[in-house]
């Protein structure tokens, strides 16, 4: 079986595991363990608190020198959209494309990395490859941290991480970080005909949302800016809202969420703290002056850091020798910032498929993209081979 056909075969098996983030990923992880065991490669698992999900780490090559991370997440978004032409978890080939949930985002990269294993184990590697497969990336990059912490503490931490998110095999040298926040507003209920006697939670929530929107426009106008990003400044917006019980009842509760996607060097926590302070001193104080048990409650749902530019790092030469052009920075998230900030591992994003195919019905990756990814990984592997003395 050719390397490309092996990658396609593996991808079909990976897609068949419904690893939607709400589900366990252990079926897929066990499959990868069994596959690697054929080549006498040991694996280490890092479980979540429930024991139903795990990260997988496997090292190919020597362990006494810094190596290269090949990183991919195993979870996918739900495939509930109407209009799938073929079953989402039964990969189908049509017109040179492989359709199925996760083909692009991002099991295609994992399949290519696994397809390269038979060649890597035959080579006398000077530096190791660390295969890292994580859980719960799609719900906030929640899983990979335990594995990154482990890598940061080994005697010879990795020198570079390649995050295989779909970039059409272009090198991405930066990504934004993200904070996701939930705000609960508590007012007082009563018959709406006596509305002035009550504290309307939805109205106070709407005033807070307007303030958040004002701050977002200030950032859009005043920066900071980085023109290399697809959107050159941090963005902030309200994403969900719910509240009230009936049309004739003054609402005593309202909940909304908002996010800020921030440039790597923009202090998003300070922006959120400033918003909280302004609302506490004005809207919250106004509510409590009317009724002591009312007001705002704040909860961080998750956050992950941005990924900075590592093109000046010595280890980036490993990639520059293969792909000359750096294609810029992206506004979506990945685990690259965690490898960089938490693990002190310079990181890039580069993988097969297009981000425009992610999170939508009839997701696909072009077979030619898998072939291009395999060629990239092969060249990376050649650089890791010992040169004759």
């Amino acid at each position: 079986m050719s390397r490309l056909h092996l990658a396609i075969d593996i991808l079909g098996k990976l897609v068949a595991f419904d690893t939607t983030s709400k589900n366990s990923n252990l079926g897929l992880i066990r499959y990868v363990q069994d596959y690697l065991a054929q080549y006498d490669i040991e694996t280490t698992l890092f479980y979540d608190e429930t024991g139903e999900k795990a990260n997988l780490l496997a090292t190919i090559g020597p362990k006494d020198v810094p190596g290269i991370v090949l990183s991919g997440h195993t979870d996918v978004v739900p495939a509930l959209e109407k209009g799938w032409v073929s079953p989402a978890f039964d990969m189908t080939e049509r017109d040179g494309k492989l359709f199925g949930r996760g083909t692009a985002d991002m099991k295609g990269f994992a399949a290519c990395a696994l397809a390269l294993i038979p060649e890597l184990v035959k080579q006398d590697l000077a530096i190791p490859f660390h295969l890292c497969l994580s859980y719960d990336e799609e719900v906030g990059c929640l899983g990979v941290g335990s594995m990154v912490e482990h890598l940061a503490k080994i005697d010879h931490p990795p020198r570079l991480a390649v995050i295989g998110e779909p970039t059409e095999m272009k090198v991405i040298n930066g990504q934004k970080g993200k904070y996701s926040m939930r705000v609960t507003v508590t007012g007082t209920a009563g018959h709406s005909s006596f509305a002035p006697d009550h504290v309307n939670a939805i109205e106070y929530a709407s005033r807070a949302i307007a303030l958040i929107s004002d701050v977002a426009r200030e950032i859009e106008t005043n920066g900071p800016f980085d023109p290399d990003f697809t959107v050159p400044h941090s963005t902030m917006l309200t994403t969900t809202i719910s509240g009230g019980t009936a049309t004739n009842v003054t609402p005593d509760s309202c909940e909304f969420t908002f996010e800020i996607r921030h440039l790597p060097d923009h202090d998003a926590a300070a922006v959120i703290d400033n918003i909280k302070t302004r609302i506490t001193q004005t809207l919250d104080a106004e509510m409590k002056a009317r009724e002591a048990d009312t007001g705002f409650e704040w909860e961080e749902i998750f956050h992950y850091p941005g990924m900075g530019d590592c093109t000046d790092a010595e280890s980036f030469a490993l990639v520059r020798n293969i792909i000359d052009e750096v294609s810029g920075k992206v506004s979506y998230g990945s685990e690259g910032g965690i490898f960089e900030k938490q693990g002190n591992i310079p990181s890039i994003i580069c993988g097969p498929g297009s981000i425009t195919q992610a999170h939508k019905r009839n997701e696909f990756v072009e077979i030619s993209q898998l072939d291009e990814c395999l060629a990239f990984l092969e060249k990376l592997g050649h650089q890791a081979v010992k040169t004759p003395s």
Side-chain angles (χ1 to χ4, degrees):
M1 184 182 295
S2 72
R3 183 175 58 193
L4 177 58
H5 284 93
L6 178 58
I8 293 171
D9 181 67
I10 292 172
L11 180 54
K13 291 180 170 65
L14 297 180
V15 169
F17 292 100
D18 180 355
T19 51
T20 305
S21 301
K22 65 182 179 63
N23 298 333
S24 171
N25 73 335
L26 293 184
L28 183 152
I29 292 296
R30 301 302 183 199
Y31 162 75
V32 174
Q33 279 190 302
D34 291 342
Y35 174 85
L36 294 174
Q38 299 176 69
Y39 303 98
D40 298 321
I41 298 173
E42 297 180 354
T43 54
T44 303
L45 302 187
F46 303 84
Y47 288 91
D48 73 345
E49 294 179 355
T50 70
E52 293 299 316
K53 298 180 181 181
N55 301 314
L56 179 146
L57 170 64
T59 299
I60 303 95
K63 298 183 179 180
D64 58 350
V65 290
I68 302 170
V69 168
L70 302 178
S71 172
H73 61 80
T74 63
D75 62 318
V76 298
V77 297
L80 303 177
E81 310 95 334
K82 295 180 180 179
W84 279 85
V85 176
S86 54
F89 297 103
D90 184 5
M91 191 178 77
T92 304
E93 180 180 346
R94 298 192 302 276
D95 301 322
K97 301 172 183 176
L98 300 170
F99 291 82
R101 176 59 83 223
T103 50
D105 187 17
M106 56 176 295
K107 292 178 178 180
F109 180 80
C112 289
L114 291 169
L116 198 69
I117 295 296
E119 298 177 32
L120 289 177
V121 296
K122 294 177 183 178
Q123 297 174 342
D124 188 13
L125 295 175
I127 60 176
F129 285 89
H130 303 285
L131 177 65
C132 295
L133 300 180
S134 66
Y135 65 88
D136 279 359
E137 188 273 349
E138 294 289 7
V139 289
C141 298
L142 303 180
V144 74
S146 59
M147 184 162 50
V148 172
E149 286 181 6
H150 171 82
L151 287 170
K153 293 176 182 177
I154 63 177
D155 291 338
H156 301 279
R159 58 194 294 195
L160 179 71
V162 179
I163 316 300
E165 294 279 1
T167 67
E168 300 179 26
M169 291 308 301
K170 298 174 182 177
V171 172
I172 300 301
N173 62 317
Q175 63 148 82
K176 291 182 179 178
K178 178 178 176 178
Y179 278 79
S180 181
M181 301 292 298
R182 179 180 293 113
V183 183
T184 301
V185 186
T186 302
T188 59
H191 198 286
S192 59
S193 62
F194 294 97
D197 296 334
H198 312 139
V199 181
N200 188 323
I202 288 179
E203 288 189 0
Y204 277 98
S206 68
R207 291 166 65 184
I209 290 170
L211 188 152
I212 290 169
S213 181
D214 288 343
V215 174
R217 284 193 292 270
E218 291 172 7
I219 294 171
E220 184 175 354
T221 301
N222 301 322
F225 299 102
D226 184 338
D228 289 339
F229 275 91
T230 49
V231 178
H233 52 79
S234 301
T235 59
M236 186 165 55
L237 72 157
T238 301
T239 50
T240 68
I241 185 169
S242 63
T245 56
T247 59
N248 59 352
V249 178
T250 303
D252 64 351
S253 66
C254 184
E255 179 182 287
F256 67 91
T257 61
F258 73 96
E259 67 167 38
I260 178 169
R261 292 181 182 265
H262 61 93
L263 300 180
D265 295 329
H266 189 189
D267 190 348
V271 174
I272 293 171
D273 285 344
N274 176 260
I275 290 171
K276 290 169 65 175
T277 297
R278 291 170 65 178
I279 289 175
T280 297
Q281 293 177 348
T282 56
L283 302 179
D284 190 82
E286 184 179 319
M287 295 176 74
K288 284 180 168 53
R290 299 178 61 188
E291 187 68 45
D293 293 333
T294 62
F296 285 75
E297 294 181 8
W298 303 78
E299 175 190 357
E300 180 185 303
I301 303 172
F302 65 81
H303 82 270
Y304 55 78
M307 184 187 83
D309 185 350
C310 77
T311 53
D312 290 334
E314 180 181 354
S315 58
F316 185 74
L318 293 167
V319 176
R320 185 180 286 111
N321 292 337
I322 302 171
I323 299 178
D324 293 333
E325 184 180 357
V326 174
S327 296
K329 304 172 184 178
V330 294
S331 297
Y332 60 79
S334 83
E335 294 168 336
I338 297 174
F339 277 95
E340 179 198 315
K341 300 295 195 302
Q342 194 170 325
N344 198 29
I345 303 169
S347 302
I348 62 165
I349 306 172
C350 183
S354 170
I355 194 64
T356 62
Q357 290 302 316
H359 301 190
K360 64 191 298 184
R361 68 183 182 183
N362 299 317
E363 177 183 349
F364 69 82
V365 64
E366 294 182 358
I367 293 175
S368 61
Q369 282 282 298
L370 297 183
D371 204 22
E372 192 173 338
C373 181
L374 288 166
F376 169 80
L377 293 175
E378 179 188 32
K379 292 175 183 176
L380 203 57
H382 285 166
Q383 294 192 86
V385 176
K386 289 181 179 179
T387 55
S389 57

